Amino acid sequence: MKIVSIKSLIKQIEYRKYLKSLNSIRINKKVHILDEIDNIISSGNYLFECGVSFNSNYGVGIVIPANWETGVIEKGSAKLFILYGTNYSICFNILEKLHQKFNNKIFWVQYDSQLSDPYVEIALENYGYHIATQYYQWIAHVEDINVDMLDFSNRYDTCLATSSDATEIMALTNKFPEPGRFVSDPFIKVEGKKLYANWAYNSCINQTNSDEILVCKINNKIVGYETISFNDDNEANLGILRIDSQYSGKLLGFSILASSIKLSIDRGVDIIKTRTSKFNISVNKIYKNLRFVLSDSSIQFHWINNDFDQKIPL
């Protein structure tokens, strides 16, 4: 098996047909995988890449920088943009080839396996990647939502955060960082707290209408919030939801969630999406009762470099 640079394969007709076929394993099929790979290779926006093309056997592996994560945790981070091959051996050998190039510059690699065949995930696990979480992707068309359940939004008072709330929101996240894959993974829990706190902080200081944070204040103190992002497709994405643990069991989280959905509806969106952990049974039940539909599921993998040398810049 000869593993070479994708640059030497990308113009081959049969290889391009193979890359085009990989759109079937992607959850977001609106963006074609071949176009993404073309853009990554032509722009040089990758750290490492390689591919396989011989006797109707194909494979592809691309590692791209995770600049936000690197900046927040101050450790080299990357994302495995794509790993796929026509069999287990190709996938495993591509992983070996990619990781030979890391040279201890990278501490953490993330990968979303999406709709890959099981042998891809087996290759990842055998190489040393571990499952960070299995997530569910939920979607609801606004007209289908069980609006009667949104009456819970009146249980607590909520409002949109302003930039002046950013520091308090960050402090709340640092104190109550769970749930979420970054903190559920014991190998990056410390770094995960920083990532969620920074995510919430950035959403708060963003002065555009594309990102909002809905907060609940009691006695002028923020006790919970949810991030919401809006995109050009007239969709809202519900992000991280965090509450002060002293309000657990008092329906604070559900009230904030209901308020976030009402806010999204009032903004005129047609579709609301969100992700949850497969193991977050109570939240998944709420979304099901709200008449959200489970559209996809996937596994998030993490690889941690135990020999990481922080002195080497990425």
Side-chain angles (χ1 to χ4, degrees):
M1 180 190 308
K2 188 175 182 181
I3 301 177
V4 298
S5 170
I6 295 174
K7 295 177 184 178
S8 66
L9 304 175
I10 198 72
K11 293 183 180 180
Q12 296 180 11
I13 294 175
E14 292 304 314
Y15 191 70
R16 292 184 68 82
K17 286 182 180 178
Y18 168 72
L19 295 180
K20 187 176 180 180
S21 73
L22 298 185
N23 213 49
S24 62
I25 69 169
R26 309 292 281 182
I27 288 177
N28 181 8
K29 292 181 173 57
K30 292 181 180 179
V31 180
H32 294 288
I33 186 67
L34 178 57
D35 293 337
E36 289 187 287
I37 292 174
D38 273 333
N39 290 335
I40 289 172
I41 299 302
S42 62
S43 66
N45 187 30
Y46 59 86
L47 296 175
F48 313 110
E49 52 80 18
C50 62
V52 171
S53 177
F54 73 100
N55 295 333
S56 299
N57 288 290
Y58 303 100
V60 57
I62 302 174
V63 177
I64 62 175
N67 295 324
W68 175 69
E69 290 89 337
T70 297
V72 173
I73 70 174
E74 299 180 316
K75 295 179 180 180
S77 304
K79 294 179 180 180
L80 188 54
F81 171 75
I82 182 70
L83 171 72
Y84 210 77
T86 47
N87 57 51
Y88 166 86
S89 179
I90 289 176
C91 293
F92 190 86
N93 281 287
I94 284 176
L95 281 171
E96 282 190 316
K97 185 74 170 181
L98 291 173
H99 278 260
Q100 285 172 3
K101 302 177 181 180
F102 284 7
N103 296 324
N104 288 343
K105 294 188 295 184
I106 295 177
F107 163 69
W108 172 37
V109 182
Q110 310 165 60
Y111 186 54
D112 184 343
S113 67
Q114 302 197 46
L115 305 177
S116 297
D117 283 314
Y119 64 78
V120 178
E121 295 170 350
I122 294 170
L124 287 160
E125 290 188 282
N126 284 346
Y127 192 82
Y129 283 72
H130 62 269
I131 295 174
T133 192
Q134 181 175 353
Y135 70 81
Y136 286 158
Q137 178 82 44
W138 296 91
I139 184 171
H141 293 269
V142 167
E143 64 267 23
D144 297 329
I145 292 175
N146 183 358
V147 293
D148 291 339
M149 290 184 64
L150 301 184
D151 290 342
F152 276 96
S153 63
N154 299 322
R155 189 178 183 92
Y156 294 92
D157 292 330
T158 57
C159 63
L160 287 176
T162 66
S163 57
S164 62
D165 295 315
T167 300
E168 188 177 355
I169 286 174
M170 177 178 270
L172 179 70
T173 312
N174 277 318
K175 191 173 182 181
F176 306 105
E178 296 177 344
R181 70 180 174 97
F182 294 146
V183 288
S184 64
D185 183 344
F187 298 103
I188 59 163
K189 189 158 189 170
V190 172
E191 292 81 8
K193 288 182 180 180
K194 294 179 182 178
L195 291 168
Y196 281 125
N198 190 269
W199 177 356
Y201 182 88
N202 288 343
S203 295
C204 194
I205 63 174
N206 189 330
Q207 297 301 308
T208 71
N209 287 327
S210 61
D211 291 287
E212 300 278 13
I213 292 189
L214 195 70
V215 297
C216 177
K217 295 183 179 182
I218 296 177
N219 296 326
N220 207 33
K221 177 185 176 183
I222 296 176
V223 295
Y225 70 85
E226 181 159 31
T227 64
I228 313 168
S229 61
F230 300 89
N231 62 36
D232 294 335
D233 293 327
N234 214 25
E235 295 178 354
N237 283 274
L238 306 182
I240 52 177
L241 173 63
R242 299 291 183 269
I243 65 168
D244 187 321
S245 64
Q246 69 174 302
Y247 292 93
S248 296
K250 299 180 180 179
L251 296 176
L252 173 63
F254 185 25
S255 178
I256 295 173
L257 171 60
S259 295
S260 299
I261 293 173
K262 284 190 70 174
L263 172 65
S264 300
I265 294 173
D266 290 343
R267 284 282 184 94
V269 303
D270 297 321
I271 293 174
I272 301 176
K273 295 180 177 180
T274 192
R275 282 186 179 185
T276 64
S277 167
K278 171 187 175 181
F279 309 104
N280 198 339
I281 296 173
S282 59
V283 170
N284 290 328
K285 185 176 180 179
I286 288 172
Y287 279 116
K288 187 175 181 179
N289 289 336
L290 281 164
R291 299 194 189 122
F292 277 66
V293 176
L294 184 60
S295 60
D296 287 296
S297 179
S298 181
I299 296 175
Q300 290 275 357
F301 287 90
H302 290 170
W303 177 84
I304 304 298
N305 185 354
N306 295 320
D307 298 320
F308 174 68
D309 187 347
Q310 198 162 2
K311 296 178 182 178
I312 300 176
L314 181 64

